[in-house]
Amino acid sequence: DAVTWTPAVPAEFVKNVALSKEGGSGGDGSVVVTNGLPLRPVVPPTKAGHDFLGYFADAAGEVAGQYYAADGSGVRRWPDGGPETLCARWRARSFTVKFDNGGGTSGPEPLTLTYGAVPASLGVVPSKPDWLFAGYYLDDVCCWDGFGKWVGGAGTVLSEGADVTLTARYAPVAYTVEFYGNGGVNAM
């Protein structure tokens, strides 16, 4: 019979390292490392509107201090005297907001935004004869009121960090019609 022998690793070479998620959630909270050995895989965290870049020696995320890749695989052997905590590094996603003018003319050009950034104004309001612009919508949620303000669900819609198309809605122009009988009887 074959004998399997696993050498004992002295306790001073093994330690538990905290994984700081830096605003993310889920994934592993720590990992056991051994001096001189490759890093064990970890489950990466997630963060709305962001891509996980890996775990680093500090929150600045210098490449020289990277310990884990975006997929949770180790990228180096654990050094003697390595850090007590590794910090997640994130990159905000960019996305495009397109505008369907709903039959109107002169609407805004598509915007490329970074997660968390909301423009103050689109600068251009679409027009449609005999109709008033009532805002840009995603389904039944008004996102831009046409007066330079993002309203309602804009924060929700734009916080997903994914491409989106907003559609213009219009309200009919109300006219007041008055009839004058020109001095006649039974004027309307």
Side-chain angles (χ1 to χ4, degrees):
D1 291 322
V3 175
T4 303
W5 177 72
T6 304
V9 178
E12 64 269 14
F13 294 121
V14 178
K15 72 177 180 178
N16 193 32
V17 174
L19 300 174
S20 173
K21 298 170 188 174
E22 303 296 316
S25 62
D28 292 332
S30 65
V31 62
V32 175
V33 298
T34 304
N35 289 351
L37 294 182
L39 295 170
R40 299 172 187 174
V42 296
V43 176
T46 58
K47 185 176 181 181
H50 290 77
D51 293 319
F52 177 66
L53 301 178
Y55 279 110
F56 294 77
D58 60 44
E62 299 298 324
V63 174
Q66 186 172 14
Y67 285 82
Y68 283 95
D71 65 359
S73 62
V75 297
R76 62 168 57 187
R77 293 179 178 273
W78 188 257
D80 185 23
E84 299 292 322
T85 301
L86 296 177
C87 300
R89 175 103 188 274
W90 304 98
R91 178 179 53 229
R93 292 186 190 126
S94 291
F95 61 101
T96 301
V97 178
K98 294 180 182 176
F99 301 92
D100 174 350
N101 293 326
T105 59
S106 303
E109 293 295 318
L111 296 174
T112 299
L113 301 175
T114 300
Y115 175 82
V118 178
S121 174
L122 297 178
V124 179
V125 176
S127 62
K128 188 174 182 180
D130 298 320
W131 294 86
L132 295 174
F133 177 67
Y136 277 106
Y137 285 74
L138 179 67
D139 299 323
D140 289 328
V141 178
C142 182
C143 295
W144 191 68
D145 70 359
F147 301 102
K149 293 191 319 189
W150 291 91
V151 297
T156 303
V157 171
L158 301 179
S159 70
E160 299 300 320
D163 293 349
V164 65
T165 298
L166 303 178
T167 303
R169 288 199 183 165
Y170 300 88
V173 174
Y175 293 99
T176 301
V177 179
E178 294 182 17
F179 295 97
Y180 296 97
N182 202 14
V185 185
N186 295 328
M188 297 172 117

